[in-house]
Amino acid sequence: MRVEIVPCLKDNYAYLLVDETRRTAAIVDPSEEAPVTAAAAAHGLEITAIACTHHHWDHVGGIEDLLKRHPGIPVYGFVSDRGRIPGQTHFLEDGATLELAGATAAILHIPGHTLGAIAYHFAQDAAVFTGDTLFLSGCGRMFEGDPEMMSGSLARLARLPPDTRVYCGHEYTASNLRFARHLEPDEPAIAARIVEVEATRSAGGPTVPGRLSDELATNPFLRPQSKAIRRALGLSDAASVAEVFGAARKAKDDFKG
Ligand SMILES: [Zn+2]
């Protein structure tokens, strides 16, 4: 499965999942219609499905206009997002599998950013689409969940194979890494990644996809056992993963880096 990155709005990413045989594509998280249509046309692809990670407008805002161009195509989302995702036709449960762009995706329910957040995991293709739950070197805000729920969702993503490519919903990697360095100033993997990401961004490129192995090494929200993170947050080794997550998320919300 080939993936085409489609920058949308200010810093959002939609993704075209390409079925090379049929010259069709499924679109993940179309916040806008125009860039998606332009990307599909540029690659000679017909859009045949829409897959949403969650209901926020900057992930579903393009659906209605896409459905005008492609009436009747399926719109996938979590079962509890019924009424929140425009045009939704398929109401997915945790553990469901579906065919997208000739590949097989497993649905992982990963609540916390929203209660209906899901990831699309393509095990054969070593790729996962995480929406606003897991960002590169960071994570989304907890709009509808609590620390227990969100840290459990992140832990679930962290258990995927380390070579999995992570496609997330926003280009926040550079600022996320500044917070990661603030918590773990002596972590060489973070310093190295900052250099890499700065080079990518100054050349105008996207930092997605990342590798889960790099996330495990640099993402503070996937490193709740780190002694340096616990020290920086004023927590002891006895603090629970959810406590560490809650303190780290609060510190990120307040971080002016
Ligand atoms: Zn969101």
Side-chain angles (χ1 to χ4, degrees), residues 135-141 172-180 182-183 219-221 233 245-257:
F135 292 134
L136 300 188
S137 301
C139 74
R141 287 175 187 261
Y172 291 159
T173 314
S175 65
N176 286 341
L177 280 166
R178 285 194 286 278
F179 178 69
H182 166 73
L183 291 185
N219 189 328
F221 298 100
L233 296 169
F245 174 81
R249 188 57 261 177
K250 168 92 177 58
K252 175 69 166 71
D253 291 345
D254 298 339
F255 183 65
K256 309 268 185 284

Side-chain angles (χ1 to χ4, degrees), residues 12 29 53-59 113-114 131-133 135 140-141 143 170:
N12 273 79
D29 284 358
T53 60
H54 65 298
H55 74 285
H56 283 157
W57 68 274
D58 61 333
H59 294 256
H113 175 67
T114 68
D132 291 353
T133 301
F135 292 134
R141 287 175 187 261
F143 286 116
H170 289 269

Side-chain angles (χ1 to χ4, degrees), residues 46-48 63-74 89:
E46 158 98 19
I47 293 172
T48 52
I63 293 178
E64 283 176 336
D65 286 339
L66 281 167
L67 288 175
K68 283 180 198 151
R69 288 177 172 270
H70 312 279
I73 65 172
T89 57

Side-chain angles (χ1 to χ4, degrees), residues 121-132:
H121 177 225
F122 296 82
Q124 291 281 45
D125 297 86
V128 67
F129 295 81
T130 59
D132 291 353

Side-chain angles (χ1 to χ4, degrees), residues 5-251:
I5 300 167
V6 186
C8 294
L9 302 174
K10 186 165 146 272
D11 51 30
N12 273 79
Y13 290 124
Y15 299 102
L16 284 173
L17 315 185
V18 180
D19 183 334
E20 306 273 14
T21 314
R22 297 189 184 84
R23 304 305 300 163
T24 61
I27 180 79
V28 176
D29 284 358
S31 52
E32 304 181 87
E33 176 270 331
V36 169
T37 298
H43 296 287
L45 301 166
E46 158 98 19
I47 293 172
T48 52
I50 298 172
C52 303
T53 60
H54 65 298
H55 74 285
H56 283 157
W57 68 274
D58 61 333
H59 294 256
V60 305
I63 293 178
E64 283 176 336
D65 286 339
L66 281 167
L67 288 175
K68 283 180 198 151
R69 288 177 172 270
H70 312 279
I73 65 172
V75 178
Y76 296 96
F78 191 61
V79 59
S80 74
D81 272 342
R82 186 183 288 270
R84 303 210 291 184
I85 294 175
Q88 186 175 358
T89 57
H90 288 66
F91 303 88
L92 305 168
E93 311 246 14
D94 182 57
T97 57
L98 69 150
E99 297 294 309
L100 283 173
T104 304
I107 300 306
L108 309 179
H109 183 215
I110 46 167
H113 175 67
T114 68
L115 290 177
I118 53 175
Y120 294 82
H121 177 225
F122 296 82
Q124 291 281 45
D125 297 86
V128 67
F129 295 81
T130 59
D132 291 353
T133 301
L134 176 63
F135 292 134
L136 300 188
S137 301
C139 74
R141 287 175 187 261
M142 264 184 307
F143 286 116
E144 297 180 357
D146 60 27
E148 191 99 21
M149 184 188 272
M150 183 93 174
S151 61
S153 294
L154 290 167
R156 193 171 178 198
L157 292 171
R159 286 193 296 270
L160 295 176
D163 66 342
T164 306
R165 284 165 294 142
V166 178
Y167 293 87
C168 63
H170 289 269
E171 182 58 65
Y172 291 159
T173 314
S175 65
N176 286 341
L177 280 166
R178 285 194 286 278
F179 178 69
R181 182 174 56 189
H182 166 73
L183 291 185
E184 293 188 284
D186 301 324
E187 184 55 54
I190 294 174
R193 200 164 185 205
I194 286 174
V195 171
E196 200 180 300
V197 162
E198 275 172 2
T200 303
R201 294 304 291 152
S202 50
T207 59
V208 286
R211 286 273 170 201
L212 190 56
S213 52
D214 289 332
E215 293 310 306
L216 296 171
T218 66
N219 189 328
F221 298 100
L222 298 188
R223 299 168 57 74
Q225 304 304 346
S226 156
K227 287 194 187 326
I229 290 177
R230 286 167 178 253
R231 263 200 314 274
L233 296 169
L235 294 171
S236 76
D237 291 352
S240 72
V241 167
E243 279 175 277
V244 175
F245 174 81
R249 188 57 261 177
K250 168 92 177 58

